[in-house]
Coordinates of all heavy atoms in Angstrom, one line a residue:
Chain A
F22 N 48.3 -33.6 21.0 CA 49.3 -34.0 21.9 C 49.8 -33.0 22.8 O 49.8 -33.2 24.1 CB 50.6 -34.5 21.0 CG 51.7 -34.9 21.9 CD1 51.8 -36.1 22.5 CD2 52.8 -34.0 22.1 CE1 52.9 -36.5 23.3 CE2 53.9 -34.4 22.9 CZ 53.9 -35.6 23.5
C33 N 48.6 -33.4 37.3 CA 49.4 -34.2 38.3 C 50.0 -33.2 39.3 O 50.0 -33.6 40.5 CB 50.6 -34.9 37.5 SG 49.9 -36.3 36.5
I37 N 49.1 -33.6 43.2 CA 50.1 -33.9 44.2 C 50.2 -32.8 45.3 O 50.2 -33.1 46.5 CB 51.4 -34.2 43.5 CG1 51.3 -35.5 42.7 CG2 52.5 -34.4 44.6 CD1 52.6 -35.8 41.8
M46 N 41.4 -41.8 53.7 CA 42.5 -42.4 52.9 C 43.8 -41.7 53.1 O 44.8 -42.1 52.6 CB 42.1 -42.5 51.4 CG 41.1 -43.5 51.1 SD 40.8 -43.7 49.3 CE 39.6 -42.4 49.1
D48 N 46.8 -39.1 52.4 CA 47.3 -38.6 51.1 C 47.3 -39.6 50.0 O 47.5 -39.2 48.8 CB 48.8 -38.2 51.4 CG 48.9 -36.8 52.0 OD1 48.0 -36.0 51.8 OD2 49.8 -36.6 52.8
T49 N 47.0 -40.8 50.2 CA 46.9 -41.8 49.1 C 45.8 -41.5 48.1 O 45.8 -42.0 47.0 CB 46.7 -43.3 49.6 OG1 45.5 -43.3 50.3 CG2 47.9 -43.7 50.5
K51 N 45.6 -39.1 46.4 CA 46.2 -38.4 45.3 C 46.5 -39.4 44.1 O 46.7 -39.0 43.0 CB 47.6 -37.7 45.7 CG 47.3 -36.6 46.7 CD 48.6 -36.1 47.3 CE 48.4 -35.2 48.5 NZ 47.7 -33.9 48.2
I52 N 46.5 -40.7 44.4 CA 46.7 -41.7 43.4 C 45.6 -41.7 42.4 O 45.7 -42.1 41.3 CB 46.9 -43.1 44.0 CG1 48.2 -43.1 44.9 CG2 47.0 -44.2 43.0 CD1 48.4 -44.3 45.7
V55 N 46.0 -40.5 38.6 CA 46.5 -41.4 37.6 C 45.7 -42.7 37.4 O 45.5 -43.2 36.3 CB 48.0 -41.7 37.7 CG1 48.9 -40.5 37.4 CG2 48.3 -42.3 39.1
P95 N 48.2 -48.7 23.3 CA 47.9 -47.7 24.3 C 46.8 -48.2 25.3 O 46.9 -48.0 26.6 CB 47.3 -46.5 23.6 CG 47.9 -46.7 22.2 CD 48.0 -48.1 22.0
T98 N 48.4 -50.6 27.8 CA 49.3 -49.9 28.7 C 48.5 -49.1 29.8 O 48.8 -49.2 31.0 CB 50.2 -48.8 27.9 OG1 50.8 -49.5 26.8 CG2 51.2 -48.2 28.8
I105 N 48.4 -51.6 38.2 CA 49.5 -51.4 39.1 C 49.3 -50.3 40.1 O 49.5 -50.5 41.3 CB 50.8 -51.2 38.2 CG1 51.1 -52.3 37.3 CG2 52.0 -50.9 39.2 CD1 52.2 -52.1 36.3
T106 N 48.8 -49.2 39.6 CA 48.5 -48.1 40.6 C 47.4 -48.5 41.6 O 47.4 -48.1 42.7 CB 48.1 -46.8 39.9 OG1 47.0 -47.0 39.0 CG2 49.3 -46.2 39.0
I109 N 49.0 -50.6 44.2 CA 49.9 -49.8 45.1 C 48.9 -49.0 46.0 O 49.2 -48.9 47.2 CB 50.7 -48.8 44.3 CG1 51.8 -49.5 43.5 CG2 51.4 -47.7 45.2 CD1 52.5 -48.7 42.4
R112 N 47.5 -51.4 49.0 CA 48.3 -51.7 50.1 C 48.1 -50.9 51.4 O 47.8 -51.4 52.5 CB 49.8 -51.8 49.7 CG 50.7 -52.2 50.8 CD 50.6 -53.7 51.1 NE 51.4 -54.1 52.2 CZ 51.0 -54.1 53.5 NH1 49.8 -53.6 53.8 NH2 51.8 -54.5 54.5
P113 N 48.2 -49.5 51.3 CA 48.0 -48.7 52.5 C 46.5 -48.5 52.9 O 46.2 -48.3 54.0 CB 48.5 -47.3 52.1 CG 48.5 -47.3 50.6 CD 48.6 -48.7 50.1
F207 N 44.7 -36.9 29.8 CA 45.0 -38.3 29.4 C 44.3 -38.7 28.1 O 44.8 -39.4 27.3 CB 44.6 -39.3 30.5 CG 45.6 -39.5 31.6 CD1 46.0 -38.5 32.4 CD2 46.2 -40.8 31.8 CE1 46.9 -38.7 33.5 CE2 47.1 -41.0 32.8 CZ 47.5 -40.0 33.6
L210 N 46.0 -37.1 25.1 CA 47.2 -37.9 24.8 C 46.9 -39.2 24.2 O 47.6 -39.6 23.2 CB 48.0 -38.1 26.1 CG 48.9 -37.0 26.6 CD1 49.6 -37.4 27.9 CD2 50.0 -36.6 25.6
L214 N 48.2 -40.5 20.6 CA 49.0 -41.7 20.4 C 48.3 -42.6 19.4 O 49.0 -43.3 18.6 CB 49.0 -42.4 21.8 CG 50.0 -41.8 22.8 CD1 49.7 -42.4 24.2 CD2 51.4 -42.0 22.4
M217 N 49.2 -41.3 16.0 CA 50.6 -41.6 15.7 C 50.7 -43.0 15.2 O 51.4 -43.3 14.2 CB 51.5 -41.4 16.9 CG 51.8 -40.0 17.3 SD 52.9 -40.0 18.7 CE 52.7 -38.4 19.3
R218 N 50.1 -44.0 15.9 CA 50.2 -45.4 15.5 C 49.4 -45.7 14.2 O 49.8 -46.5 13.5 CB 49.7 -46.2 16.7 CG 50.4 -46.0 18.0 CD 50.0 -46.9 19.1 NE 50.7 -48.2 19.0 CZ 51.9 -48.4 19.6 NH1 52.5 -47.4 20.3 NH2 52.5 -49.5 19.5
R220 N 49.1 -43.5 11.7 CA 50.0 -42.9 10.7 C 51.2 -43.9 10.4 O 51.5 -44.1 9.3 CB 50.5 -41.6 11.1 CG 49.5 -40.5 11.0 CD 49.9 -39.2 11.6 NE 51.1 -38.6 11.0 CZ 51.7 -37.5 11.4 NH1 51.2 -36.8 12.4 NH2 52.8 -37.1 10.8
A221 N 51.7 -44.5 11.5 CA 52.8 -45.5 11.3 C 52.3 -46.7 10.5 O 53.0 -47.1 9.6 CB 53.4 -45.9 12.7
A224 N 51.8 -45.8 6.8 CA 53.1 -45.6 6.2 C 53.7 -47.0 5.9 O 54.3 -47.2 4.8 CB 54.0 -44.8 7.0
I228 N 54.8 -48.6 2.3 CA 56.1 -49.2 2.1 C 56.0 -50.6 1.5 O 56.6 -50.9 0.5 CB 56.9 -49.3 3.4 CG1 57.3 -47.9 3.9 CG2 58.2 -50.1 3.3 CD1 57.8 -47.8 5.4
R231 N 54.9 -50.4 -2.1 CA 56.0 -49.9 -3.0 C 57.0 -51.0 -3.2 O 57.6 -51.1 -4.3 CB 56.6 -48.7 -2.3 CG 57.6 -48.0 -3.0 CD 57.1 -47.1 -4.1 NE 58.2 -46.4 -4.8 CZ 58.1 -46.0 -6.1 NH1 57.1 -46.3 -6.8 NH2 59.2 -45.4 -6.6
M235 N 58.3 -52.6 -6.6 CA 59.7 -52.6 -7.0 C 60.2 -54.0 -7.3 O 61.0 -54.2 -8.2 CB 60.6 -52.0 -5.9 CG 60.4 -50.4 -5.9 SD 61.1 -49.7 -4.3 CE 62.8 -49.9 -4.6
Chain B
M1 N 51.7 -46.0 58.7 CA 52.4 -46.3 57.4 C 52.6 -45.0 56.6 O 51.5 -44.3 56.3 CB 51.6 -47.3 56.6 CG 52.2 -47.8 55.4 SD 51.1 -48.9 54.5 CE 51.3 -50.4 55.4
H3 N 52.6 -42.5 53.6 CA 51.9 -42.6 52.3 C 52.8 -42.2 51.1 O 52.5 -42.6 50.0 CB 50.6 -41.8 52.3 CG 49.6 -42.4 53.2 ND1 48.5 -41.8 53.6 CD2 49.5 -43.7 53.8 CE1 47.7 -42.5 54.4 NE2 48.4 -43.7 54.5
F6 N 54.1 -44.7 48.4 CA 53.0 -45.2 47.5 C 52.6 -44.2 46.4 O 52.3 -44.6 45.3 CB 51.8 -45.6 48.4 CG 52.1 -46.7 49.3 CD1 52.4 -46.4 50.7 CD2 52.1 -48.1 48.9 CE1 52.7 -47.5 51.5 CE2 52.4 -49.1 49.8 CZ 52.7 -48.8 51.1
I7 N 52.5 -42.9 46.8 CA 52.1 -41.9 45.9 C 53.2 -41.7 44.8 O 52.9 -41.7 43.6 CB 51.9 -40.6 46.6 CG1 50.7 -40.7 47.6 CG2 51.6 -39.4 45.6 CD1 50.6 -39.6 48.6
A9 N 55.5 -43.9 43.9 CA 55.5 -45.2 43.1 C 54.4 -45.1 42.0 O 54.6 -45.5 40.8 CB 55.4 -46.4 43.9
S10 N 53.2 -44.7 42.4 CA 52.1 -44.7 41.4 C 52.3 -43.7 40.3 O 52.1 -44.0 39.1 CB 50.8 -44.3 42.2 OG 50.4 -45.2 43.1
F11 N 52.7 -42.5 40.7 CA 53.0 -41.5 39.6 C 54.2 -41.9 38.8 O 54.2 -41.6 37.5 CB 53.2 -40.1 40.2 CG 51.9 -39.4 40.5 CD1 51.2 -39.7 41.7 CD2 51.3 -38.5 39.6 CE1 50.0 -39.1 42.0 CE2 50.1 -37.9 39.9 CZ 49.4 -38.2 41.1
V13 N 55.1 -45.0 38.0 CA 54.6 -46.1 37.1 C 53.8 -45.4 35.9 O 54.0 -45.8 34.7 CB 53.6 -47.1 37.8 CG1 52.8 -47.9 36.9 CG2 54.4 -48.0 38.8
A14 N 52.9 -44.5 36.2 CA 52.2 -43.8 35.2 C 53.1 -43.0 34.2 O 53.0 -43.1 33.0 CB 51.1 -42.9 35.8
G17 N 55.2 -45.5 32.0 CA 54.3 -46.1 31.1 C 54.0 -45.2 29.9 O 54.1 -45.5 28.7
M18 N 53.6 -43.9 30.3 CA 53.2 -43.0 29.3 C 54.4 -42.5 28.5 O 54.3 -42.3 27.3 CB 52.5 -41.8 29.9 CG 51.1 -42.3 30.4 SD 50.1 -41.0 31.1 CE 49.7 -40.0 29.7
W20 N 57.1 -44.2 27.8 CA 57.4 -45.3 26.8 C 56.4 -45.3 25.6 O 56.9 -45.4 24.5 CB 57.3 -46.7 27.6 CG 57.4 -47.8 26.6 CD1 58.6 -48.3 26.0 CD2 56.3 -48.6 26.1 NE1 58.2 -49.3 25.2 CE2 56.9 -49.5 25.2 CE3 55.0 -48.6 26.2 CZ2 56.1 -50.4 24.5 CZ3 54.2 -49.5 25.5 CH2 54.7 -50.4 24.7
L21 N 55.1 -45.1 25.9 CA 54.1 -45.1 24.9 C 54.4 -44.0 23.9 O 54.4 -44.2 22.7 CB 52.8 -44.9 25.5 CG 51.8 -46.0 25.5 CD1 50.5 -45.5 26.1 CD2 51.6 -46.7 24.2
I22 N 54.6 -42.8 24.4 CA 54.8 -41.6 23.6 C 56.1 -41.8 22.7 O 56.0 -41.6 21.5 CB 54.9 -40.3 24.5 CG1 53.6 -40.0 25.1 CG2 55.4 -39.1 23.6 CD1 53.6 -39.0 26.2
S24 N 57.8 -44.5 21.9 CA 57.8 -45.6 20.9 C 56.8 -45.3 19.8 O 57.1 -45.6 18.6 CB 57.4 -47.0 21.6 OG 56.0 -46.8 22.1
S25 N 55.6 -44.7 20.1 CA 54.7 -44.3 19.0 C 55.3 -43.3 18.1 O 55.1 -43.4 16.9 CB 53.4 -43.8 19.6 OG 52.8 -44.7 20.5
Y26 N 55.9 -42.3 18.7 CA 56.5 -41.2 17.9 C 57.6 -41.7 17.0 O 57.6 -41.4 15.8 CB 57.0 -40.1 18.8 CG 57.6 -38.9 18.0 CD1 56.8 -38.0 17.4 CD2 59.0 -38.8 18.0 CE1 57.4 -37.0 16.6 CE2 59.6 -37.7 17.3 CZ 58.8 -36.8 16.6 OH 59.4 -35.8 15.9
S28 N 58.2 -44.8 15.9 CA 57.7 -45.7 14.9 C 57.0 -45.0 13.8 O 57.1 -45.3 12.6 CB 56.8 -46.9 15.4 OG 55.6 -46.3 15.9
M29 N 56.3 -43.9 14.1 CA 55.6 -43.0 13.1 C 56.7 -42.3 12.3 O 56.6 -42.4 11.0 CB 54.7 -42.0 13.8 CG 54.0 -41.0 12.9 SD 53.2 -39.7 13.8 CE 54.6 -38.7 14.2
A32 N 58.6 -44.9 10.0 CA 57.8 -45.4 8.9 C 57.5 -44.3 7.9 O 57.6 -44.6 6.6 CB 56.5 -46.0 9.4
E33 N 57.1 -43.1 8.3 CA 56.8 -42.1 7.4 C 58.0 -41.6 6.6 O 58.0 -41.3 5.4 CB 56.1 -40.9 8.1 CG 54.7 -41.2 8.5 CD 53.9 -40.0 9.0 OE1 54.6 -39.1 9.5 OE2 52.7 -40.1 9.1
F35 N 60.7 -43.5 5.9 CA 61.1 -44.5 4.9 C 60.1 -44.5 3.7 O 60.6 -44.7 2.6 CB 61.1 -45.9 5.6 CG 61.7 -47.0 4.8 CD1 62.9 -46.8 4.2 CD2 61.1 -48.2 4.7 CE1 63.5 -47.8 3.4 CE2 61.6 -49.2 3.9 CZ 62.9 -49.0 3.3
A36 N 58.8 -44.3 4.0 CA 57.8 -44.3 2.9 C 58.1 -43.1 2.0 O 58.0 -43.2 0.8 CB 56.4 -44.2 3.5
L39 N 61.1 -43.9 -0.2 CA 60.8 -44.9 -1.3 C 60.0 -44.2 -2.4 O 60.1 -44.5 -3.5 CB 59.9 -46.0 -0.7 CG 60.7 -47.2 0.0 CD1 59.7 -48.2 0.4 CD2 61.7 -47.8 -1.0
K40 N 59.1 -43.3 -2.0 CA 58.3 -42.6 -3.0 C 59.2 -41.8 -3.9 O 58.9 -41.7 -5.1 CB 57.3 -41.6 -2.2 CG 56.2 -41.2 -3.0 CD 55.3 -40.2 -2.2 CE 54.3 -39.5 -3.1 NZ 53.6 -38.5 -2.3
R42 N 62.2 -42.5 -4.8 CA 63.1 -43.3 -5.5 C 62.4 -43.6 -6.9 O 61.2 -44.0 -7.0 CB 63.3 -44.6 -4.8 CG 64.6 -45.4 -5.2 CD 64.8 -46.6 -4.4 NE 65.3 -46.3 -3.1 CZ 65.6 -47.2 -2.2 NH1 65.5 -48.5 -2.4 NH2 66.1 -46.8 -1.0
P43 N 63.2 -43.6 -8.0 CA 62.6 -43.8 -9.3 C 62.2 -45.3 -9.5 O 62.8 -46.1 -8.9 CB 63.7 -43.4 -10.3 CG 64.9 -43.4 -9.5 CD 64.6 -43.2 -8.1

Side-chain angles (χ1 to χ4, degrees):
Chain A
F22 178 79
C33 288
I37 293 172
M46 286 186 278
D48 280 329
T49 59
K51 295 170 193 293
I52 297 172
V55 286
T98 309
I105 297 169
T106 56
I109 293 169
R112 183 67 186 90
F207 273 65
L210 274 182
L214 288 166
M217 284 182 201
R218 301 184 86 87
R220 285 172 59 181
I228 291 167
R231 184 78 178 152
M235 284 165 72
Chain B
M1 186 183 281
H3 289 167
F6 296 96
I7 298 164
S10 295
F11 279 85
V13 165
M18 289 181 70
W20 170 79
L21 251 185
I22 291 166
S24 65
S25 304
Y26 179 75
S28 67
M29 178 189 77
E33 287 187 340
F35 191 47
L39 277 181
K40 197 181 170 189
R42 201 177 283 183

